[in-house]
Amino acid sequence: MPRLSPRRDRFAPRQRLRRLTHLVTAGAALGAVLLAPGPAAASGTTFTDAFHNLGPATKADWMKDLAGSTWLAALSLPGTHDTLSIHGEAMTETQENFGDSANTLTAQLERGIRAIDLRVRVTENRYFTVHHGKVYQKANFDDVLTKAQDFLGKHRNETLVMRLKAECSRGGESVGIGDCENDPKTVDSAKIESIFKDYVSRYPNLFYRPSVDGKTGVPRLSQVRGKIVLGSFDHVDGQYGINSFNSHQEDHWKPSNIPEKFDLVKANLEQAVRDGSGEMYVTYTSASTVPDLSPAMFAGGYGWHNNQPAVAGVNVRLMQYLNNGGGNGHLGIVMMDFPGWALVENIIARNQGNAVTDGHQAIWLVNADKTYVDTKYGRCMVRGPEFDSSKTGGLVTQRTCQPKAPGSHQWGVEKPPYDGKGYYQIKSSNGSCLTAPYNNGTPPSAGTQLFWWGCETRWFSGSQLWNVIPTPVEVNGERRTAYKFINNWTGQCLSVDPSTASTSGGKVTQDTCPK
């Protein structure tokens, strides 16, 4: 191979790349360099974006990119209050109607809802029907579980949190206007719990078992993918669900007005953002003071003028609050009446800090022993064979990582001795730099093998300068920060060559960067 000379020409970046703002010094662990998540993007502008309009069915798999190591309590989950309450007119209706027999549930799940609130009545002393007060919602618990099982079977990376309530009065309890009674009226807590356990046994593997066998701690997402997590089972004597599910809850359902309710909602969301305890937060945005203000009026507003409410409802206020950067962090579960697509998107967007990228040959872990390991094949980048006896340069290759890393396997990121304009040199342990070949002044194509070469010390040398982009990944169930290294001159990423990935001494190249 002919001897190559270091490239000394000055080239402007092909495109303006995002810069790593932290200083990475020689010998420092690059794994400690992180970028804080930015604010979530705004979603929605109008009243109809926030109210009674879940939009198209495009959010069935939004949890697939979240790290399985994420605790359930660290997520922001959009939910619906009285999930299947679509009958009974203004007094009891709380959700957009997509059909009976839990078809409304399927529609909600396909549109991003991941927390549900179900109220059940014992019927014929042996099964549950779904109610809101005395109003039957034309669905039974089998409908709910069948639809949930079908959805989770098709979307195995998702999970569903269920709040369950025995809605009706039990034997001996007083019955108010609008309240329901079980069938028979003498049904007690033991019978309700027995019926529920029968459902659990008839749908094996659907529920996260610790949550239905008693009280349990907060699980990780990896433990509950493809399952229903019982958050709580209210109005029964037994103890079920997640320990802290009802510990940090906003559920003032009868405030005096909309501003009062929204202030309560906002306060609980802001507490969720601040709280690092790892406990669950649940915020109900719903309210009703029927006959004065219905659930729809609290959610959407009232006093219409030019197709807009003169008094904005909780949903619109919440959308504007989130769009303006409020609640920029973990929100917990947000249970809503008549949510709009923009609210769902805004809540989902708060999970961006838990998102991870799949392993890729152009995404690298940087370890404490200074080894660079690609996240797809697990190969170590190596200072490979010299071009000739002068030992002034050579090929960059990859090999199986060693228990004790030799010097040829060790690299470090340093600021260049000249103004690198925010870019970095990647240096081998012998002081040479990771270099894109000069190629007679033409940027080499994707797939070109990289060199190690003497570092330029005076001039801006784009072939030896790299942009460093932190990229969250999940490795063996552990969330870690990996990196993309983008060459300043070529705009290509440091990569393992897939065709030689299983070969000791296989090529380390530059290639198209992953998104």
Side-chain angles (χ1 to χ4, degrees):
M1 180 177 291
R3 181 173 176 177
L4 302 177
S5 60
R7 177 177 175 273
R8 300 183 183 276
D9 305 77
R10 300 170 186 168
F11 288 88
R14 189 180 70 169
Q15 59 181 335
R16 186 73 173 178
L17 299 174
R18 184 164 60 121
R19 306 293 170 82
L20 183 72
T21 58
H22 299 74
L23 174 63
V24 185
T25 58
L30 187 57
V33 182
L34 304 174
L35 284 181
S43 292
T45 56
T46 68
F47 156 75
T48 54
D49 297 333
F51 175 71
H52 209 286
N53 174 22
L54 277 173
T58 57
K59 302 181 185 68
D61 294 293
W62 69 261
M63 303 183 81
K64 66 182 177 62
D65 293 327
L66 301 183
S69 57
T70 307
W71 296 102
L72 191 66
L75 296 175
S76 299
L77 300 178
T80 47
H81 160 253
D82 258 306
T83 295
L84 296 183
S85 191
I86 56 176
H87 296 289
E89 299 184 344
M91 179 176 289
T92 58
E93 291 176 11
T94 63
Q95 302 301 328
E96 189 175 355
N97 187 345
F98 290 94
D100 298 334
S101 303
N103 286 323
T104 289
L105 173 62
T106 297
Q108 290 180 8
L109 298 180
E110 291 172 342
R111 290 159 176 79
I113 296 300
R114 292 296 178 269
I116 60 176
D117 171 30
L118 293 167
R119 321 295 178 90
V120 293
R121 172 184 183 258
V122 175
T123 301
E124 296 181 5
N125 206 33
R126 60 190 177 93
Y127 59 90
F128 290 159
T129 51
V130 180
H131 275 245
H132 185 174
K134 65 172 55 176
V135 181
Y136 171 51
Q137 297 302 323
K138 299 185 180 180
N140 59 46
F141 203 50
D142 274 310
D143 294 328
V144 170
L145 298 184
T146 299
K147 295 296 196 299
Q149 183 171 254
D150 182 63
F151 176 82
L152 292 170
K154 294 175 181 176
H155 309 281
R156 299 296 301 175
N157 289 308
E158 308 303 295
T159 190
L160 182 59
V161 179
M162 175 188 290
R163 183 262 180 142
L164 188 62
K165 181 185 178 185
E167 180 78 340
C168 305
S169 61
R170 304 181 307 191
E173 293 180 342
S174 61
V175 181
I177 297 175
D179 292 341
C180 60
E181 293 182 291
N182 290 307
D183 172 26
K185 298 178 182 179
T186 55
V187 164
D188 60 11
S189 180
K191 182 62 179 178
I192 296 170
E193 293 173 55
S194 174
I195 294 172
F196 176 67
K197 290 175 182 177
D198 180 58
Y199 278 110
V200 171
S201 68
R202 289 195 287 113
Y203 291 84
N205 302 317
L206 178 57
F207 285 91
Y208 173 57
R209 194 75 199 202
S211 70
V212 296
D213 286 343
K215 282 285 190 180
T216 189
V218 176
R220 293 184 187 272
L221 182 56
S222 60
Q223 297 174 273
V224 298
R225 290 194 193 273
K227 297 184 182 296
I228 296 173
V229 180
L230 185 64
S232 68
F233 192 179
D234 299 332
H235 198 207
V236 294
D237 295 339
Q239 298 294 304
Y240 305 91
I242 305 301
N243 285 329
S244 58
F245 191 83
N246 291 326
S247 298
H248 308 285
Q249 187 178 95
E250 160 45 39
D251 193 17
H252 289 82
W253 63 273
K254 203 168 184 178
S256 56
N257 54 53
I258 290 173
E260 178 187 335
K261 176 60 182 180
F262 178 68
D263 285 344
L264 292 167
V265 167
K266 184 171 69 170
N268 206 52
L269 294 178
E270 291 178 348
Q271 180 60 32
V273 171
R274 292 191 299 267
D275 192 343
S277 68
E279 296 188 343
M280 301 288 291
Y281 272 76
V282 182
T283 301
Y284 290 85
T285 68
S286 51
S288 173
T289 56
V290 170
D292 296 322
L293 294 179
S294 66
M297 294 170 77
F298 262 100
Y302 61 90
W304 295 92
H305 179 69
N306 292 332
N307 295 319
Q308 294 288 328
V311 178
V314 172
N315 289 16
V316 178
R317 294 167 191 252
L318 180 57
M319 177 184 72
Q320 293 169 343
Y321 168 73
L322 296 175
N323 277 346
N324 291 329
N328 191 30
H330 149 251
L331 301 178
I333 294 172
V334 185
M335 297 289 207
M336 300 170 282
D337 282 350
F338 300 104
W341 64 267
L343 279 180
V344 175
E345 284 194 359
N346 260 309
I347 295 167
I348 291 174
R350 265 63 188 174
N351 294 292
Q352 64 183 1
N354 296 308
V356 293
T357 300
D358 291 336
H360 192 280
Q361 64 268 23
I363 300 175
W364 298 77
L365 291 172
V366 177
N367 296 317
D369 62 359
K370 302 181 184 179
T371 54
Y372 282 40
V373 183
D374 84 279
T375 57
K376 182 171 184 177
Y377 303 110
R379 309 292 283 185
C380 270
M381 184 167 72
V382 174
R383 187 180 75 251
E386 297 92 348
F387 293 136
D388 53 39
S389 60
S390 69
K391 299 185 178 182
T392 56
L395 296 172
V396 179
T397 61
Q398 51 76 15
R399 293 179 180 273
T400 301
C401 299
Q402 303 300 310
K404 184 176 181 180
S408 60
H409 288 216
Q410 294 180 315
W411 303 82
V413 168
E414 295 184 22
K415 291 184 68 175
Y418 50 84
D419 180 9
K421 303 186 185 304
Y423 295 91
Y424 296 83
Q425 293 175 332
I426 301 177
K427 285 190 172 183
S428 176
S429 61
N430 72 347
S432 60
C433 277
L434 184 67
T435 305
Y438 180 37
N439 196 35
N440 294 321
T442 301
S445 61
T448 300
Q449 188 167 9
L450 299 176
F451 297 169
W452 54 268
W453 194 266
C455 298
E456 175 59 62
T457 59
R458 296 176 297 167
W459 311 109
F460 187 95
S461 182
S463 65
Q464 293 185 338
L465 292 176
W466 301 82
N467 195 24
V468 183
I469 307 296
T471 305
V473 296
E474 191 166 29
V475 180
N476 298 324
E478 179 186 359
R479 177 186 168 88
R480 293 187 60 182
T481 298
Y483 300 87
K484 290 184 284 190
F485 299 96
I486 307 174
N487 188 261
N488 168 268
W489 182 36
T490 67
Q492 303 279 324
C493 271
L494 174 66
S495 178
V496 166
D497 170 40
S499 66
T500 60
S502 61
T503 304
S504 182
K507 295 189 291 185
V508 170
T509 67
Q510 59 161 18
D511 212 333
T512 303
C513 295
K515 295 181 179 179

